[in-house]
Amino acid sequence: MLVSAREMLEKARDGKYAVGQFNINNLEWTKSILLTAQELQSPVILGVSEGAGKYMTGFKTVAAMVEAMIDELNITVPVALHLDHGSYEGCYKCIKAGFSSIMFDGSHYPIAENIEKTKELVKIAHAMGLSLEAEVGSIGGEEDGVVGMGECADPAECKAIADLGIDFLAAGIGNIHGKYPENWQGLNFDVLANVKEAVGGMPLVLHGGTGIPEDMIKKAISLGVAKINVNTECQLSFAEATRKYIEDGKDLQGKGFDPRKLLAPGADAIRATVKEKMELFGSVGKANA
Ligand code: 13P
């Protein structure tokens, strides 16, 4: 059964670890992430961007696939199915489709409009038992056509959004989606500390988890980050393993062209990446914490 992400993130905040949000793209992705979470007894959040939802033919397909997979694979760890960077309309679609958590990304609206829309969606999400993530200060880089310049969040705006009763908050602290450029300045821990002070116990979310050095991840967790999003890194691992399989000519040997064989090294590579991240984030063994 899917669960809201609220409780798992409150436990993570109290236990000083973070739960990973791993974005899914298809069946192999979903299966690899769920099996790794179960093996490591870690709570997990499956992230679905609007683009990935569309690719998988719609949010209803995604919710049905994830629910059925949890059942068929006997997954017993807490799993949340979460809309990533949702539009106003996308949030409504996911609530209807059976997601257990949504992110409303109103960071590109003027703050008053972000507050107004977030307030409305919190009310509906909570009435339906879903958790809601809001965003202040856009995340840099590009994800599925959503482009952010990477502004650092204003702590006063974070407090205004947190006071709406949201469940967790994504606040820009110099993080960006995708690979970090050579000249990246690193996470801004002063901003993170100021945001934390402004929002009190609200669990914080770190987007752009790909490529952030381990020491920065650990420091961010110590300063109140309880959810870390990873997308690109699984894509890179999948692509690298698949390229190797093809370059080694394995698809030309015997029945190596069978998609179950062709996609297996990529799926294993996703499992290895997810395992590495869960160990780094400290969520291993926390399924029943
Ligand atoms: P990366 O693709 O940089 O890992 O970011 C993922 C993310 O923040 C999803 O919202």
Side-chain angles (χ1 to χ4, degrees), residues 21-23 47 49 82 84-85 103 133 135 139-140 142-143 175-180 205-212 227-235:
Q21 172 191 305
F22 299 94
N23 285 48
S49 68
H82 180 73
D84 189 27
H85 292 284
M103 172 186 191
E133 171 180 348
E135 176 168 332
I139 313 296
E142 187 262 342
E143 188 174 72
N175 41 331
I176 61 170
H177 290 128
K179 289 184 185 173
Y180 284 86
V205 183
L206 182 63
H207 282 247
T210 296
I212 297 179
K227 171 175 179 276
I228 302 177
N229 293 5
V230 178
N231 184 10
T232 306
E233 206 153 324
C234 289
Q235 298 185 1

PDB file of all heavy atoms in Angstrom, residues 21-23 47 49 82 84-85 103 133 135 139-140 142-143 175-180 205-212 227-235, ligand 1:
ATOM      1  N   GLN A  21      14.291  10.352  -2.784  1.00  0.00           N
ATOM      2  CA  GLN A  21      13.258  10.324  -3.823  1.00  0.00           C
ATOM      3  C   GLN A  21      13.989   9.952  -5.098  1.00  0.00           C
ATOM      4  O   GLN A  21      14.894  10.673  -5.551  1.00  0.00           O
ATOM      5  CB  GLN A  21      12.585  11.671  -4.023  1.00  0.00           C
ATOM      6  CG  GLN A  21      11.653  11.638  -5.262  1.00  0.00           C
ATOM      7  CD  GLN A  21      11.150  12.988  -5.700  1.00  0.00           C
ATOM      8  OE1 GLN A  21      10.569  13.722  -4.923  1.00  0.00           O
ATOM      9  NE2 GLN A  21      11.371  13.322  -6.975  1.00  0.00           N
ATOM     10  N   PHE A  22      13.621   8.811  -5.666  1.00  0.00           N
ATOM     11  CA  PHE A  22      14.229   8.369  -6.919  1.00  0.00           C
ATOM     12  C   PHE A  22      13.172   8.471  -8.000  1.00  0.00           C
ATOM     13  O   PHE A  22      12.081   7.896  -7.874  1.00  0.00           O
ATOM     14  CB  PHE A  22      14.751   6.941  -6.764  1.00  0.00           C
ATOM     15  CG  PHE A  22      15.809   6.833  -5.690  1.00  0.00           C
ATOM     16  CD1 PHE A  22      15.472   6.469  -4.387  1.00  0.00           C
ATOM     17  CD2 PHE A  22      17.132   7.170  -5.966  1.00  0.00           C
ATOM     18  CE1 PHE A  22      16.427   6.417  -3.383  1.00  0.00           C
ATOM     19  CE2 PHE A  22      18.102   7.126  -4.963  1.00  0.00           C
ATOM     20  CZ  PHE A  22      17.749   6.743  -3.678  1.00  0.00           C
ATOM     21  N   ASN A  23      13.492   9.213  -9.058  1.00  0.00           N
ATOM     22  CA  ASN A  23      12.502   9.388 -10.126  1.00  0.00           C
ATOM     23  C   ASN A  23      12.399   8.136 -10.981  1.00  0.00           C
ATOM     24  O   ASN A  23      13.406   7.472 -11.234  1.00  0.00           O
ATOM     25  CB  ASN A  23      12.874  10.592 -10.987  1.00  0.00           C
ATOM     26  CG  ASN A  23      12.581  11.898 -10.282  1.00  0.00           C
ATOM     27  OD1 ASN A  23      12.942  12.074  -9.127  1.00  0.00           O
ATOM     28  ND2 ASN A  23      11.914  12.807 -10.951  1.00  0.00           N
ATOM     29  N   GLY A  47       9.545   9.302  -7.389  1.00  0.00           N
ATOM     30  CA  GLY A  47       9.210  10.608  -7.960  1.00  0.00           C
ATOM     31  C   GLY A  47       8.777  10.454  -9.414  1.00  0.00           C
ATOM     32  O   GLY A  47       9.357   9.662 -10.161  1.00  0.00           O
ATOM     33  N   SER A  49       7.967  12.985 -12.642  1.00  0.00           N
ATOM     34  CA  SER A  49       7.830  14.332 -13.205  1.00  0.00           C
ATOM     35  C   SER A  49       6.640  14.310 -14.161  1.00  0.00           C
ATOM     36  O   SER A  49       6.174  13.235 -14.557  1.00  0.00           O
ATOM     37  CB  SER A  49       9.102  14.721 -13.963  1.00  0.00           C
ATOM     38  OG  SER A  49       9.225  13.908 -15.116  1.00  0.00           O
ATOM     39  N   HIS A  82       5.013  10.073  -5.559  1.00  0.00           N
ATOM     40  CA  HIS A  82       5.046  11.532  -5.411  1.00  0.00           C
ATOM     41  C   HIS A  82       5.188  12.236  -6.766  1.00  0.00           C
ATOM     42  O   HIS A  82       6.084  11.902  -7.550  1.00  0.00           O
ATOM     43  CB  HIS A  82       6.258  11.841  -4.521  1.00  0.00           C
ATOM     44  CG  HIS A  82       6.504  13.266  -4.219  1.00  0.00           C
ATOM     45  ND1 HIS A  82       5.724  14.001  -3.347  1.00  0.00           N
ATOM     46  CD2 HIS A  82       7.473  14.113  -4.644  1.00  0.00           C
ATOM     47  CE1 HIS A  82       6.213  15.237  -3.246  1.00  0.00           C
ATOM     48  NE2 HIS A  82       7.271  15.333  -4.022  1.00  0.00           N
ATOM     49  N   ASP A  84       6.532  15.062  -8.969  1.00  0.00           N
ATOM     50  CA  ASP A  84       7.722  15.909  -8.845  1.00  0.00           C
ATOM     51  C   ASP A  84       7.519  17.191  -9.663  1.00  0.00           C
ATOM     52  O   ASP A  84       7.156  17.116 -10.838  1.00  0.00           O
ATOM     53  CB  ASP A  84       8.919  15.100  -9.381  1.00  0.00           C
ATOM     54  CG  ASP A  84      10.249  15.762  -9.117  1.00  0.00           C
ATOM     55  OD1 ASP A  84      10.369  16.522  -8.139  1.00  0.00           O
ATOM     56  OD2 ASP A  84      11.190  15.499  -9.901  1.00  0.00           O
ATOM     57  N   HIS A  85       7.731  18.341  -9.060  1.00  0.00           N
ATOM     58  CA  HIS A  85       7.563  19.638  -9.739  1.00  0.00           C
ATOM     59  C   HIS A  85       6.209  19.740 -10.454  1.00  0.00           C
ATOM     60  O   HIS A  85       6.151  20.039 -11.647  1.00  0.00           O
ATOM     61  CB  HIS A  85       8.702  19.897 -10.741  1.00  0.00           C
ATOM     62  CG  HIS A  85      10.003  20.098 -10.056  1.00  0.00           C
ATOM     63  ND1 HIS A  85      10.332  21.261  -9.404  1.00  0.00           N
ATOM     64  CD2 HIS A  85      11.053  19.267  -9.879  1.00  0.00           C
ATOM     65  CE1 HIS A  85      11.526  21.131  -8.850  1.00  0.00           C
ATOM     66  NE2 HIS A  85      11.985  19.935  -9.115  1.00  0.00           N
ATOM     67  N   MET A 103       4.020  17.311  -5.204  1.00  0.00           N
ATOM     68  CA  MET A 103       4.775  18.552  -5.040  1.00  0.00           C
ATOM     69  C   MET A 103       4.104  19.587  -5.922  1.00  0.00           C
ATOM     70  O   MET A 103       3.922  19.361  -7.125  1.00  0.00           O
ATOM     71  CB  MET A 103       6.217  18.372  -5.514  1.00  0.00           C
ATOM     72  CG  MET A 103       6.976  19.702  -5.527  1.00  0.00           C
ATOM     73  SD  MET A 103       8.604  19.542  -6.250  1.00  0.00           S
ATOM     74  CE  MET A 103       9.293  21.128  -5.817  1.00  0.00           C
ATOM     75  N   GLU A 133       4.459  18.814  -0.903  1.00  0.00           N
ATOM     76  CA  GLU A 133       5.734  19.535  -0.891  1.00  0.00           C
ATOM     77  C   GLU A 133       5.555  20.827  -1.668  1.00  0.00           C
ATOM     78  O   GLU A 133       4.915  20.839  -2.719  1.00  0.00           O
ATOM     79  CB  GLU A 133       6.812  18.658  -1.566  1.00  0.00           C
ATOM     80  CG  GLU A 133       8.153  19.363  -1.812  1.00  0.00           C
ATOM     81  CD  GLU A 133       9.194  18.436  -2.480  1.00  0.00           C
ATOM     82  OE1 GLU A 133       8.978  17.201  -2.557  1.00  0.00           O
ATOM     83  OE2 GLU A 133      10.217  18.966  -2.936  1.00  0.00           O
ATOM     84  N   GLU A 135       7.559  24.664  -2.982  1.00  0.00           N
ATOM     85  CA  GLU A 135       8.899  25.138  -3.336  1.00  0.00           C
ATOM     86  C   GLU A 135       9.003  26.656  -3.292  1.00  0.00           C
ATOM     87  O   GLU A 135       8.115  27.368  -3.733  1.00  0.00           O
ATOM     88  CB  GLU A 135       9.285  24.648  -4.735  1.00  0.00           C
ATOM     89  CG  GLU A 135      10.643  25.206  -5.188  1.00  0.00           C
ATOM     90  CD  GLU A 135      11.213  24.557  -6.422  1.00  0.00           C
ATOM     91  OE1 GLU A 135      10.908  23.377  -6.680  1.00  0.00           O
ATOM     92  OE2 GLU A 135      11.979  25.231  -7.122  1.00  0.00           O
ATOM     93  N   ILE A 139      14.929  25.806  -8.308  1.00  0.00           N
ATOM     94  CA  ILE A 139      16.085  24.923  -8.422  1.00  0.00           C
ATOM     95  C   ILE A 139      16.676  25.162  -9.801  1.00  0.00           C
ATOM     96  O   ILE A 139      15.953  25.189 -10.788  1.00  0.00           O
ATOM     97  CB  ILE A 139      15.644  23.437  -8.316  1.00  0.00           C
ATOM     98  CG1 ILE A 139      14.693  23.200  -7.144  1.00  0.00           C
ATOM     99  CG2 ILE A 139      16.838  22.508  -8.278  1.00  0.00           C
ATOM    100  CD1 ILE A 139      15.226  23.443  -5.777  1.00  0.00           C
ATOM    101  N   GLY A 140      17.967  25.312  -9.881  1.00  0.00           N
ATOM    102  CA  GLY A 140      18.590  25.603 -11.175  1.00  0.00           C
ATOM    103  C   GLY A 140      18.585  24.422 -12.112  1.00  0.00           C
ATOM    104  O   GLY A 140      18.267  23.309 -11.731  1.00  0.00           O
ATOM    105  N   GLU A 142      17.657  22.233 -15.702  1.00  0.00           N
ATOM    106  CA  GLU A 142      16.443  21.920 -16.451  1.00  0.00           C
ATOM    107  C   GLU A 142      16.014  20.498 -16.139  1.00  0.00           C
ATOM    108  O   GLU A 142      16.848  19.596 -16.076  1.00  0.00           O
ATOM    109  CB  GLU A 142      16.749  22.072 -17.951  1.00  0.00           C
ATOM    110  CG  GLU A 142      15.559  21.945 -18.872  1.00  0.00           C
ATOM    111  CD  GLU A 142      15.415  20.570 -19.478  1.00  0.00           C
ATOM    112  OE1 GLU A 142      16.381  19.811 -19.472  1.00  0.00           O
ATOM    113  OE2 GLU A 142      14.306  20.267 -19.937  1.00  0.00           O
ATOM    114  N   GLU A 143      14.727  20.308 -15.858  1.00  0.00           N
ATOM    115  CA  GLU A 143      14.213  18.953 -15.714  1.00  0.00           C
ATOM    116  C   GLU A 143      12.897  18.866 -16.450  1.00  0.00           C
ATOM    117  O   GLU A 143      11.946  19.548 -16.097  1.00  0.00           O
ATOM    118  CB  GLU A 143      14.032  18.566 -14.252  1.00  0.00           C
ATOM    119  CG  GLU A 143      13.674  17.086 -14.144  1.00  0.00           C
ATOM    120  CD  GLU A 143      13.608  16.591 -12.713  1.00  0.00           C
ATOM    121  OE1 GLU A 143      12.657  16.968 -12.027  1.00  0.00           O
ATOM    122  OE2 GLU A 143      14.504  15.852 -12.314  1.00  0.00           O
ATOM    123  N   ASN A 175      21.433  24.578  -5.361  1.00  0.00           N
ATOM    124  CA  ASN A 175      21.401  23.248  -5.977  1.00  0.00           C
ATOM    125  C   ASN A 175      20.775  23.337  -7.367  1.00  0.00           C
ATOM    126  O   ASN A 175      19.913  24.179  -7.609  1.00  0.00           O
ATOM    127  CB  ASN A 175      20.607  22.260  -5.096  1.00  0.00           C
ATOM    128  CG  ASN A 175      19.349  22.847  -4.496  1.00  0.00           C
ATOM    129  OD1 ASN A 175      19.261  24.043  -4.251  1.00  0.00           O
ATOM    130  ND2 ASN A 175      18.348  22.021  -4.268  1.00  0.00           N
ATOM    131  N   ILE A 176      21.214  22.465  -8.266  1.00  0.00           N
ATOM    132  CA  ILE A 176      20.624  22.446  -9.608  1.00  0.00           C
ATOM    133  C   ILE A 176      20.370  21.009 -10.065  1.00  0.00           C
ATOM    134  O   ILE A 176      21.014  20.078  -9.603  1.00  0.00           O
ATOM    135  CB  ILE A 176      21.496  23.172 -10.670  1.00  0.00           C
ATOM    136  CG1 ILE A 176      22.869  22.506 -10.803  1.00  0.00           C
ATOM    137  CG2 ILE A 176      21.635  24.646 -10.369  1.00  0.00           C
ATOM    138  CD1 ILE A 176      23.658  23.034 -11.985  1.00  0.00           C
ATOM    139  N   HIS A 177      19.422  20.884 -10.992  1.00  0.00           N
ATOM    140  CA  HIS A 177      19.134  19.574 -11.574  1.00  0.00           C
ATOM    141  C   HIS A 177      20.212  19.227 -12.601  1.00  0.00           C
ATOM    142  O   HIS A 177      20.780  20.114 -13.225  1.00  0.00           O
ATOM    143  CB  HIS A 177      17.779  19.605 -12.304  1.00  0.00           C
ATOM    144  CG  HIS A 177      16.609  19.712 -11.379  1.00  0.00           C
ATOM    145  ND1 HIS A 177      15.635  20.662 -11.529  1.00  0.00           N
ATOM    146  CD2 HIS A 177      16.240  18.964 -10.305  1.00  0.00           C
ATOM    147  CE1 HIS A 177      14.712  20.496 -10.575  1.00  0.00           C
ATOM    148  NE2 HIS A 177      15.067  19.481  -9.827  1.00  0.00           N
ATOM    149  N   GLY A 178      20.438  17.940 -12.778  1.00  0.00           N
ATOM    150  CA  GLY A 178      21.399  17.500 -13.784  1.00  0.00           C
ATOM    151  C   GLY A 178      22.816  17.559 -13.238  1.00  0.00           C
ATOM    152  O   GLY A 178      23.031  17.720 -12.040  1.00  0.00           O
ATOM    153  N   LYS A 179      23.803  17.438 -14.138  1.00  0.00           N
ATOM    154  CA  LYS A 179      25.205  17.432 -13.691  1.00  0.00           C
ATOM    155  C   LYS A 179      25.599  18.833 -13.244  1.00  0.00           C
ATOM    156  O   LYS A 179      25.162  19.820 -13.842  1.00  0.00           O
ATOM    157  CB  LYS A 179      26.105  17.016 -14.849  1.00  0.00           C
ATOM    158  CG  LYS A 179      26.002  15.555 -15.232  1.00  0.00           C
ATOM    159  CD  LYS A 179      27.027  15.289 -16.334  1.00  0.00           C
ATOM    160  CE  LYS A 179      26.947  13.895 -16.883  1.00  0.00           C
ATOM    161  NZ  LYS A 179      27.815  13.702 -18.042  1.00  0.00           N
ATOM    162  N   TYR A 180      26.437  18.922 -12.227  1.00  0.00           N
ATOM    163  CA  TYR A 180      26.902  20.242 -11.769  1.00  0.00           C
ATOM    164  C   TYR A 180      28.039  20.714 -12.661  1.00  0.00           C
ATOM    165  O   TYR A 180      28.919  19.935 -13.022  1.00  0.00           O
ATOM    166  CB  TYR A 180      27.355  20.163 -10.299  1.00  0.00           C
ATOM    167  CG  TYR A 180      26.155  20.118  -9.378  1.00  0.00           C
ATOM    168  CD1 TYR A 180      25.542  18.912  -9.067  1.00  0.00           C
ATOM    169  CD2 TYR A 180      25.591  21.288  -8.898  1.00  0.00           C
ATOM    170  CE1 TYR A 180      24.417  18.873  -8.274  1.00  0.00           C
ATOM    171  CE2 TYR A 180      24.456  21.257  -8.100  1.00  0.00           C
ATOM    172  CZ  TYR A 180      23.874  20.045  -7.796  1.00  0.00           C
ATOM    173  OH  TYR A 180      22.736  20.010  -7.020  1.00  0.00           O
ATOM    174  N   VAL A 205      13.734  19.671   1.769  1.00  0.00           N
ATOM    175  CA  VAL A 205      14.012  18.810   0.624  1.00  0.00           C
ATOM    176  C   VAL A 205      15.166  19.376  -0.189  1.00  0.00           C
ATOM    177  O   VAL A 205      15.180  20.571  -0.503  1.00  0.00           O
ATOM    178  CB  VAL A 205      12.771  18.717  -0.302  1.00  0.00           C
ATOM    179  CG1 VAL A 205      13.033  17.759  -1.458  1.00  0.00           C
ATOM    180  CG2 VAL A 205      11.537  18.295   0.488  1.00  0.00           C
ATOM    181  N   LEU A 206      16.114  18.497  -0.527  1.00  0.00           N
ATOM    182  CA  LEU A 206      17.238  18.900  -1.374  1.00  0.00           C
ATOM    183  C   LEU A 206      17.041  18.287  -2.753  1.00  0.00           C
ATOM    184  O   LEU A 206      17.130  17.064  -2.912  1.00  0.00           O
ATOM    185  CB  LEU A 206      18.554  18.419  -0.745  1.00  0.00           C
ATOM    186  CG  LEU A 206      19.844  18.783  -1.470  1.00  0.00           C
ATOM    187  CD1 LEU A 206      20.048  20.295  -1.534  1.00  0.00           C
ATOM    188  CD2 LEU A 206      21.041  18.124  -0.792  1.00  0.00           C
ATOM    189  N   HIS A 207      16.744  19.131  -3.723  1.00  0.00           N
ATOM    190  CA  HIS A 207      16.633  18.657  -5.116  1.00  0.00           C
ATOM    191  C   HIS A 207      18.043  18.597  -5.718  1.00  0.00           C
ATOM    192  O   HIS A 207      18.995  19.093  -5.131  1.00  0.00           O
ATOM    193  CB  HIS A 207      15.753  19.620  -5.918  1.00  0.00           C
ATOM    194  CG  HIS A 207      14.293  19.432  -5.664  1.00  0.00           C
ATOM    195  ND1 HIS A 207      13.426  18.962  -6.620  1.00  0.00           N
ATOM    196  CD2 HIS A 207      13.549  19.614  -4.544  1.00  0.00           C
ATOM    197  CE1 HIS A 207      12.217  18.883  -6.109  1.00  0.00           C
ATOM    198  NE2 HIS A 207      12.253  19.280  -4.847  1.00  0.00           N
ATOM    199  N   GLY A 208      18.117  18.019  -6.928  1.00  0.00           N
ATOM    200  CA  GLY A 208      19.414  18.005  -7.624  1.00  0.00           C
ATOM    201  C   GLY A 208      20.455  17.166  -6.906  1.00  0.00           C
ATOM    202  O   GLY A 208      21.624  17.542  -6.840  1.00  0.00           O
ATOM    203  N   GLY A 209      20.034  16.001  -6.378  1.00  0.00           N
ATOM    204  CA  GLY A 209      20.941  15.154  -5.593  1.00  0.00           C
ATOM    205  C   GLY A 209      22.100  14.569  -6.383  1.00  0.00           C
ATOM    206  O   GLY A 209      23.097  14.142  -5.807  1.00  0.00           O
ATOM    207  N   THR A 210      22.003  14.529  -7.713  1.00  0.00           N
ATOM    208  CA  THR A 210      23.067  13.960  -8.543  1.00  0.00           C
ATOM    209  C   THR A 210      24.338  14.791  -8.455  1.00  0.00           C
ATOM    210  O   THR A 210      24.306  15.992  -8.747  1.00  0.00           O
ATOM    211  CB  THR A 210      22.601  13.923 -10.022  1.00  0.00           C
ATOM    212  OG1 THR A 210      21.499  13.036 -10.116  1.00  0.00           O
ATOM    213  CG2 THR A 210      23.724  13.467 -10.953  1.00  0.00           C
ATOM    214  N   GLY A 211      25.421  14.134  -8.049  1.00  0.00           N
ATOM    215  CA  GLY A 211      26.729  14.794  -8.126  1.00  0.00           C
ATOM    216  C   GLY A 211      27.065  15.733  -6.976  1.00  0.00           C
ATOM    217  O   GLY A 211      28.076  16.427  -7.028  1.00  0.00           O
ATOM    218  N   ILE A 212      26.236  15.767  -5.929  1.00  0.00           N
ATOM    219  CA  ILE A 212      26.593  16.598  -4.769  1.00  0.00           C
ATOM    220  C   ILE A 212      27.597  15.793  -3.933  1.00  0.00           C
ATOM    221  O   ILE A 212      27.332  14.631  -3.604  1.00  0.00           O
ATOM    222  CB  ILE A 212      25.353  16.953  -3.908  1.00  0.00           C
ATOM    223  CG1 ILE A 212      24.371  17.791  -4.740  1.00  0.00           C
ATOM    224  CG2 ILE A 212      25.768  17.730  -2.648  1.00  0.00           C
ATOM    225  CD1 ILE A 212      23.097  18.191  -3.996  1.00  0.00           C
ATOM    226  N   LYS A 227      14.833  14.889   2.885  1.00  0.00           N
ATOM    227  CA  LYS A 227      14.455  14.218   1.618  1.00  0.00           C
ATOM    228  C   LYS A 227      15.441  14.700   0.563  1.00  0.00           C
ATOM    229  O   LYS A 227      15.664  15.919   0.447  1.00  0.00           O
ATOM    230  CB  LYS A 227      13.026  14.611   1.237  1.00  0.00           C
ATOM    231  CG  LYS A 227      12.551  14.163  -0.153  1.00  0.00           C
ATOM    232  CD  LYS A 227      11.065  14.512  -0.332  1.00  0.00           C
ATOM    233  CE  LYS A 227      10.483  14.138  -1.674  1.00  0.00           C
ATOM    234  NZ  LYS A 227      10.718  15.120  -2.726  1.00  0.00           N
ATOM    235  N   ILE A 228      16.018  13.757  -0.177  1.00  0.00           N
ATOM    236  CA  ILE A 228      16.970  14.145  -1.228  1.00  0.00           C
ATOM    237  C   ILE A 228      16.530  13.506  -2.543  1.00  0.00           C
ATOM    238  O   ILE A 228      16.281  12.294  -2.603  1.00  0.00           O
ATOM    239  CB  ILE A 228      18.412  13.710  -0.863  1.00  0.00           C
ATOM    240  CG1 ILE A 228      18.818  14.342   0.485  1.00  0.00           C
ATOM    241  CG2 ILE A 228      19.393  14.126  -1.971  1.00  0.00           C
ATOM    242  CD1 ILE A 228      20.195  13.935   0.999  1.00  0.00           C
ATOM    243  N   ASN A 229      16.410  14.335  -3.572  1.00  0.00           N
ATOM    244  CA  ASN A 229      15.927  13.854  -4.863  1.00  0.00           C
ATOM    245  C   ASN A 229      17.080  13.486  -5.802  1.00  0.00           C
ATOM    246  O   ASN A 229      17.999  14.272  -5.994  1.00  0.00           O
ATOM    247  CB  ASN A 229      15.127  14.957  -5.568  1.00  0.00           C
ATOM    248  CG  ASN A 229      13.833  15.289  -4.872  1.00  0.00           C
ATOM    249  OD1 ASN A 229      13.547  14.768  -3.796  1.00  0.00           O
ATOM    250  ND2 ASN A 229      13.045  16.153  -5.490  1.00  0.00           N
ATOM    251  N   VAL A 230      16.947  12.299  -6.395  1.00  0.00           N
ATOM    252  CA  VAL A 230      17.963  11.823  -7.339  1.00  0.00           C
ATOM    253  C   VAL A 230      17.272  11.357  -8.614  1.00  0.00           C
ATOM    254  O   VAL A 230      16.365  10.526  -8.559  1.00  0.00           O
ATOM    255  CB  VAL A 230      18.769  10.639  -6.738  1.00  0.00           C
ATOM    256  CG1 VAL A 230      19.783  10.112  -7.737  1.00  0.00           C
ATOM    257  CG2 VAL A 230      19.458  11.050  -5.440  1.00  0.00           C
ATOM    258  N   ASN A 231      17.693  11.894  -9.733  1.00  0.00           N
ATOM    259  CA  ASN A 231      17.122  11.482 -11.002  1.00  0.00           C
ATOM    260  C   ASN A 231      18.235  11.173 -12.013  1.00  0.00           C
ATOM    261  O   ASN A 231      18.419  10.034 -12.429  1.00  0.00           O
ATOM    262  CB  ASN A 231      16.194  12.600 -11.530  1.00  0.00           C
ATOM    263  CG  ASN A 231      15.475  12.221 -12.802  1.00  0.00           C
ATOM    264  OD1 ASN A 231      15.509  11.063 -13.210  1.00  0.00           O
ATOM    265  ND2 ASN A 231      14.837  13.175 -13.442  1.00  0.00           N
ATOM    266  N   THR A 232      19.002  12.209 -12.362  1.00  0.00           N
ATOM    267  CA  THR A 232      20.009  12.067 -13.426  1.00  0.00           C
ATOM    268  C   THR A 232      20.992  10.928 -13.168  1.00  0.00           C
ATOM    269  O   THR A 232      21.377  10.214 -14.096  1.00  0.00           O
ATOM    270  CB  THR A 232      20.777  13.396 -13.578  1.00  0.00           C
ATOM    271  OG1 THR A 232      19.817  14.440 -13.773  1.00  0.00           O
ATOM    272  CG2 THR A 232      21.723  13.361 -14.762  1.00  0.00           C
ATOM    273  N   GLU A 233      21.385  10.732 -11.911  1.00  0.00           N
ATOM    274  CA  GLU A 233      22.409   9.725 -11.626  1.00  0.00           C
ATOM    275  C   GLU A 233      21.968   8.309 -12.014  1.00  0.00           C
ATOM    276  O   GLU A 233      22.763   7.527 -12.528  1.00  0.00           O
ATOM    277  CB  GLU A 233      22.803   9.789 -10.143  1.00  0.00           C
ATOM    278  CG  GLU A 233      24.212   9.278  -9.942  1.00  0.00           C
ATOM    279  CD  GLU A 233      24.905   9.883  -8.733  1.00  0.00           C
ATOM    280  OE1 GLU A 233      24.692  11.070  -8.434  1.00  0.00           O
ATOM    281  OE2 GLU A 233      25.673   9.150  -8.102  1.00  0.00           O
ATOM    282  N   CYS A 234      20.687   7.994 -11.798  1.00  0.00           N
ATOM    283  CA  CYS A 234      20.192   6.674 -12.229  1.00  0.00           C
ATOM    284  C   CYS A 234      20.169   6.598 -13.750  1.00  0.00           C
ATOM    285  O   CYS A 234      20.440   5.543 -14.342  1.00  0.00           O
ATOM    286  CB  CYS A 234      18.794   6.404 -11.666  1.00  0.00           C
ATOM    287  SG  CYS A 234      18.772   6.110  -9.890  1.00  0.00           S
ATOM    288  N   GLN A 235      19.848   7.715 -14.403  1.00  0.00           N
ATOM    289  CA  GLN A 235      19.821   7.716 -15.874  1.00  0.00           C
ATOM    290  C   GLN A 235      21.222   7.472 -16.427  1.00  0.00           C
ATOM    291  O   GLN A 235      21.411   6.712 -17.379  1.00  0.00           O
ATOM    292  CB  GLN A 235      19.288   9.054 -16.389  1.00  0.00           C
ATOM    293  CG  GLN A 235      17.863   9.338 -15.957  1.00  0.00           C
ATOM    294  CD  GLN A 235      17.295  10.605 -16.580  1.00  0.00           C
ATOM    295  OE1 GLN A 235      17.949  11.284 -17.355  1.00  0.00           O
ATOM    296  NE2 GLN A 235      16.071  10.936 -16.243  1.00  0.00           N
TER     297      GLN A 235
HETATM  298  P1  13P B   1      18.965  15.330 -10.365  1.00  0.00           P
HETATM  299  O1  13P B   1      18.460  14.931 -11.709  1.00  0.00           O
HETATM  300  O2  13P B   1      20.015  16.380 -10.455  1.00  0.00           O
HETATM  301  O3  13P B   1      19.389  14.164  -9.546  1.00  0.00           O
HETATM  302  O4  13P B   1      17.745  16.042  -9.609  1.00  0.00           O
HETATM  303  C1  13P B   1      16.598  15.306  -9.295  1.00  0.00           C
HETATM  304  C2  13P B   1      15.533  16.163  -8.743  1.00  0.00           C
HETATM  305  O5  13P B   1      15.771  17.113  -8.025  1.00  0.00           O
HETATM  306  C3  13P B   1      14.146  15.822  -9.061  1.00  0.00           C
HETATM  307  O6  13P B   1      13.259  16.784  -8.640  1.00  0.00           O
END
